[in-house]
Amino acid sequence: MSNGQSRFHVPAPPFRPGDAPDFSHLDLQKAGEAKRPDPLTASVKMTDLAFGLIGVLDHNHQAVGEWDPRLSPEVLREGLSHMVLTRIYDARMLKLQRQGKMSFYMKSLGEEAVAVAGAMALNKSDMVFPSYRQQGILFARGRNIVDMMCHCISNSRDNLKGRQLPVHYTWAEGNFFSISGNLGTQFPQAVGYAMGCAYKGEDTIAASWIGDGTTAAPDFHAAMTLASTYRAPVILNVVNNQWAISTYEGIAKGDAATFASKGLGYGLASLRVDGNDFLAIYAATKWAADRARKGGGATFIELFTYRADAHSTSDDPARYRPKNEFEKWPLGDPIERLKNHLIGLGEWDEDRHAKLEEQMTALVVKSYKEAESHGTLHDGPLSPTHTIFEDVYATEDWRLRRQRQDLGV
Amino acid sequence: MPAMNMLQALNSAMDVLLDKHPETVIFGEDSGYFGGVFGATQGLQKKYGLDRVFDAPINEAAIAAMAIGMAAKGLKPIAEIQFADYIFPAFDQIVSEMSRLRYRSAGEFVSPVVVRSPWGGGIRGGQTHSMSPEAFFTHVPGVKVVVPSNPYDAKGMLIAASEGDDPVIFFEPKRIYNGPFDGVPDAPLSSWARHPKGEVPEGHYRVELGKAEIVREGEACTVLTYGTLVHVAVNAAEKAGIDAEIIDLKTLAPYDIETIVASVNKTGRVVVAHEAPRTSGFGAELAAQIQEECFYALEAPIFRLTGWDTPYPHAHEWAYFPGQARFIRALQTVTEAR
């Protein structure tokens, strides 16, 4: 490794466009192999969980091992339904963006389980501090789809009055914190919120998600320090989807064995989880939530997954990675895996699945028609122009009043 | 009514807030057991307990972000940044998050945090313990910026800030923590005990944000300033025998335009004064606004008396600071211009 001389080192991904992707170098722990300790176990006694991979669904789509959350078929079908809706919603929104009906969009293709399973394992009273690519949380919490679309097309019914880029949702009623465009800022805020829950003696907790690239940002370390110092009832998730726009995960990870292992130095319970396994994510989140609610403090979770589509509508992944890389991804497709599991249980079949897809497509199409009836970014109506001066402060001061009058609104 | 210095007044304000509002929490580097490096939070942890007043890690971004999350949960955090110079690691959390949360969420989430920070020069703090970075924050929609100049205002404005609904950056001029300063470094320090604004009620009161105060009435020119320089201005005007009207702005965002315009229309001559560097300093905003609103009343160019466009030097601190001698020259220049 060393030839006795320092070397300038910049890591590079194993495959670039034109290469044949091959993930056989990933030594992934098999589903069912990871131990499931009691949720109040000291973090130093379960360091192996930060290096392995918590998985429940095996290659035959059967639930195996100690982490099996033993969910009822109803809950599994609900999860599947939210994930299918997320995928159909995303596909339709992308199409609409290409038609010029939306300024921007970000899909969560391949990562649907991260948001949906995480949300379903939390209580609805728990506050989530999400990143983008987590519209699945909104579906799992019952957000009105028309409202989500109205936000994305910034029309007169946009609950954010046209101030946020599409997919930067806010839904206070659903305990869904306002999404920032500045990456990672929500991570330490979630810890502060969780501390507030503990301060008030409530049973609620907070959870937050950032991407693998954002672990390099100062706010990541701020959050980890706060969570550890104050033993906050928070779940801090890193969605390792391999790509931060064109930058592969190694640029943020450096020589760390896994992202999850970064939590160990902070004294946090640190889990590495198959991010394409609905059951594993559900189980790990539930375990972490139990730990938080029982006073065991924060849990740091790496969700090992793959961003199957572009970063956003402004990105073309074919310029930096092999086109078929996702097909070679060893952890498969989260929807297919849960669907096959349910079929294996005799609780689902292809016909019902096709019908579900049809229903969800119809729902999305109908909802968009309704959303569009409240206006679009291009053709209006938008929220009234004077609203640009609202909500800066609790009450308008002379500067804003005069500027609003200058604009004549 | 007891006499207090500014530190005691701030301590008293936080005592009142902790007592009156169970959701008030106070934290910062060394703010807990030790009571802050200047002593502003001294005794509060002992009185209210570890979970009300506590130490924070040396990570200003973490301090600001923790405060945002807590405020979103309905707490009333008062976060201390040990020196205003250290606020920049927290800049993104303040400027991109705390200031905009209400706006970007259309009021669904709010972040009424008070960020306190010792501010300004005059204590031999060198270039990392002397800055007055207020202009960085007055440029930001969504935060209020406060710089009190005496114990009475410091207490009343801190209470008003914490009981308000908006984020407030609360800069405390540390040179005058213990007594007013006339701008002559070799002169003996006076005490707040003999100053009318050193008399501070013990209980709850508020001093409204956004209001300036005419601290000395006059006809010859208007001086617009805040913090330590309020006292330098008063002493300079007395010493030079110039009938200057001196306005303590107290709140910089939003500043009190009515008081400013009325005074400038009366005197026709203006000195804007601050310790921060001149270029794009808060004085530039004042000069521009006065030019827009009082152009035909002006009888002389607006004079900017400021720190230099350099970092704050340790050994040459008093050559940097706009002290009494420079202040007198500024007043003379403005009033003698024909």
Side-chain angles (χ1 to χ4, degrees):
Chain A
M1 184 165 172
S2 164
N3 63 354
Q5 197 181 352
S6 78
R7 278 175 179 272
F8 188 68
H9 170 69
V10 179
F15 324 111
R16 284 298 193 188
D19 295 339
D22 172 8
F23 289 104
S24 58
H25 64 285
L26 293 176
D27 184 19
L28 300 173
Q29 189 176 20
K30 285 192 174 64
E33 280 184 3
K35 295 269 177 243
R36 184 184 182 280
D38 180 88
L40 287 180
T41 305
S43 62
V44 290
K45 299 211 168 142
M46 48 185 180
T47 54
D48 52 324
L49 294 174
F51 299 96
L53 191 74
I54 294 170
V56 174
L57 291 174
D58 69 9
H59 285 310
N60 300 317
H61 309 298
Q62 296 198 340
V64 293
E66 297 175 12
W67 283 93
D68 178 7
R70 299 177 191 285
L71 299 174
S72 69
E74 289 73 30
V75 173
L76 295 177
R77 278 193 294 262
E78 187 195 333
L80 184 67
S81 165
H82 295 318
M83 290 203 286
V84 166
L85 175 57
T86 303
R87 187 165 291 184
I88 289 171
Y89 175 83
D90 276 351
R92 177 60 60 149
M93 294 297 108
L94 178 76
K95 203 166 154 189
L96 292 166
Q97 193 276 340
R98 297 299 189 221
Q99 290 170 359
K101 305 233 177 189
M102 219 174 292
S103 60
F104 174 85
Y105 197 73
M106 297 175 109
K107 291 168 72 180
S108 54
L109 187 69
E111 300 174 42
E112 293 89 348
V114 167
V116 171
M120 285 179 66
L122 293 169
N123 294 341
K124 286 190 177 168
S125 53
D126 296 331
M127 181 64 81
V128 295
F129 287 73
S131 183
Y132 43 72
R133 236 184 288 288
Q134 284 175 299
Q135 36 274 44
I137 295 176
L138 290 166
F139 293 126
R141 289 198 163 181
R143 176 68 161 149
N144 182 309
I145 304 177
V146 176
D147 288 336
M148 289 169 66
M149 291 170 166
C150 286
H151 154 65
C152 286
I153 55 178
S154 301
N155 66 15
S156 63
R157 214 178 107 174
D158 174 10
N159 68 317
L160 305 180
K161 302 183 188 175
R163 293 167 185 166
Q164 285 265 49
L165 204 60
V167 309
H168 290 62
Y169 304 97
T170 297
W171 189 36
E173 201 192 328
N175 291 313
F176 185 100
F177 197 73
S178 164
I179 296 180
S180 176
N182 292 24
L183 297 186
T185 50
Q186 76 277 18
F187 227 41
Q189 292 167 11
V191 184
Y193 187 96
M195 291 169 71
C197 294
Y199 181 89
K200 291 192 164 188
E202 292 177 2
D203 195 31
T204 51
I205 63 169
S208 187
W209 292 258
I210 58 171
D212 47 282
T214 306
T215 58
D219 280 329
F220 167 77
H221 303 279
M224 301 292 271
T225 301
L226 291 178
S228 164
T229 299
Y230 300 110
R231 214 176 283 168
V234 68
I235 305 173
L236 296 172
N237 295 285
V238 168
V239 183
N240 178 7
N241 69 8
Q242 314 301 315
W243 292 96
I245 308 188
S246 71
T247 305
Y248 95 114
E249 51 109 44
I251 289 290
K253 195 176 74 180
D255 288 334
T258 62
F259 284 102
S261 67
K262 293 191 178 214
L264 295 176
Y266 292 95
L268 299 179
S270 303
L271 316 178
R272 188 161 177 253
V273 178
D274 178 346
N276 289 12
D277 179 343
F278 179 91
L279 292 171
I281 299 165
Y282 189 103
T285 306
K286 198 85 182 162
W287 182 95
D290 279 354
R291 183 177 176 88
R293 279 187 238 282
K294 288 175 179 166
T299 300
F300 179 59
I301 300 178
E302 174 186 351
L303 298 153
F304 194 67
T305 183
Y306 186 91
R307 191 195 80 216
D309 211 328
H311 167 76
S312 75
T313 46
S314 308
D315 170 44
D316 173 13
R319 291 170 59 195
Y320 53 80
R321 69 185 187 190
K323 270 186 175 161
N324 61 340
E325 207 178 74
F326 176 49
E327 291 157 23
K328 304 285 179 190
W329 183 245
L331 298 177
D333 175 333
I335 292 182
E336 286 299 309
R337 288 175 68 188
L338 183 59
K339 178 183 126 184
N340 288 328
H341 174 60
L342 269 164
I343 290 173
L345 293 175
E347 295 287 348
W348 200 242
D349 57 53
E350 292 292 353
D351 283 351
R352 289 171 82 180
H353 197 80
K355 202 169 279 173
L356 175 69
E357 287 180 335
E358 254 172 57
Q359 276 172 355
M360 293 304 175
T361 303
L363 175 68
V364 168
V365 169
K366 178 175 158 279
S367 300
Y368 186 75
K369 275 187 190 144
E370 190 185 335
E372 208 173 20
S373 74
H374 298 283
T376 64
L377 177 62
H378 291 293
D379 303 325
L382 312 175
S383 54
T385 308
H386 67 79
T387 60
I388 69 175
F389 298 99
E390 292 174 357
D391 308 314
V392 182
Y393 297 93
T395 52
E396 188 180 66
D397 67 44
W398 65 270
R399 300 169 300 172
L400 290 162
R401 186 180 67 249
R402 287 186 185 183
Q403 289 166 27
R404 177 171 53 72
Q405 288 162 347
D406 278 353
L407 188 59
V409 293
Chain B
M1 206 180 288
M4 293 186 196
N5 66 24
M6 201 188 281
L7 283 167
Q8 291 165 330
L10 290 161
N11 187 278
S12 174
M14 289 186 269
D15 191 357
V16 166
L17 289 163
L18 285 162
D19 183 57
K20 192 171 156 63
H21 305 296
E23 66 276 21
T24 300
V25 285
I26 294 172
F27 49 87
E29 293 153 15
D30 299 304
S31 303
Y33 184 83
F34 185 57
V37 290
F38 290 96
T41 51
Q42 224 163 55
L44 297 175
Q45 184 179 81
K46 194 170 180 194
K47 186 168 175 186
Y48 293 98
L50 203 60
D51 58 349
R52 305 286 311 275
V53 183
F54 53 91
D55 290 319
I58 303 176
N59 183 328
E60 288 79 10
I63 291 169
M66 171 167 53
I68 293 167
M70 286 177 162
K73 180 64 200 166
L75 302 196
K76 279 288 199 175
I78 301 175
E80 179 176 304
I81 302 294
Q82 198 162 59
F83 284 88
D85 312 61
Y86 303 169
I87 208 165
F88 294 101
F91 199 61
D92 186 43
Q93 284 287 348
I94 294 171
V95 168
S96 313
E97 302 289 318
M98 191 186 294
S99 69
R100 289 191 219 161
L101 183 58
R102 179 190 295 277
Y103 192 76
R104 79 167 193 233
S105 71
E108 290 194 22
F109 292 99
V110 294
S111 179
V113 172
V114 179
V115 180
R116 288 180 44 243
S117 193
W119 164 100
I123 64 151
R124 286 272 187 237
Q127 49 87 32
T128 55
H129 302 78
S130 305
M131 266 184 89
S132 33
E134 64 275 13
F136 289 96
F137 297 96
T138 57
H139 192 59
V140 177
V143 291
K144 293 184 172 178
V145 180
V146 166
V147 189
S149 72
N150 59 70
Y152 180 86
D153 287 345
K155 177 172 174 182
M157 294 179 87
L158 182 54
I159 291 174
S162 183
E163 291 183 340
D165 297 320
D166 295 308
V168 178
I169 310 299
F170 196 94
F171 287 128
E172 302 164 2
K174 55 187 176 287
R175 174 70 201 189
I176 54 172
Y177 265 156
N178 293 306
F181 172 62
D182 65 6
V184 180
D186 298 332
L189 262 185
S190 58
S191 144
W192 280 113
R194 289 187 295 279
H195 194 284
K197 289 297 183 78
E199 291 205 348
V200 177
E202 279 190 344
H204 178 277
Y205 68 95
R206 275 191 284 238
V207 173
E208 191 184 346
L209 309 191
K211 296 281 183 220
E213 183 178 340
I214 299 169
V215 294
R216 183 186 193 275
E217 291 197 14
E219 303 284 338
C221 68
T222 297
V223 177
L224 300 174
T225 191
Y226 46 93
T228 310
L229 291 192
V230 171
H231 305 279
V232 181
V234 170
N235 281 284
E238 300 292 341
K239 184 117 180 198
I242 290 172
D243 186 24
E245 179 144 296
I246 296 168
I247 296 177
D248 177 1
L249 292 173
K250 301 204 277 192
T251 306
L252 308 186
Y255 55 95
D256 180 353
I257 190 66
E258 284 178 21
T259 302
I260 293 169
V261 167
S263 178
V264 175
N265 282 337
K266 180 174 79 171
T267 66
R269 294 163 193 273
V270 185
V271 174
V272 295
H274 56 65
E275 281 180 63
R278 174 170 309 186
T279 303
S280 300
F282 189 64
E285 163 61 27
L286 293 171
Q289 191 70 29
I290 290 166
Q291 181 277 138
E292 276 184 33
E293 302 200 31
C294 310
F295 181 75
Y296 294 105
L298 288 176
E299 293 175 38
I302 296 166
F303 193 104
R304 278 197 280 170
L305 175 66
T306 68
W308 310 119
D309 282 347
T310 72
Y312 219 111
H314 180 245
H316 292 291
E317 181 172 44
W318 298 114
Y320 183 94
F321 186 85
Q324 200 181 81
R326 275 176 69 200
F327 228 116
I328 291 173
R329 282 203 300 279
L331 294 171
Q332 287 167 343
T333 304
V334 159
T335 51
E336 288 165 10
R338 288 287 172 268

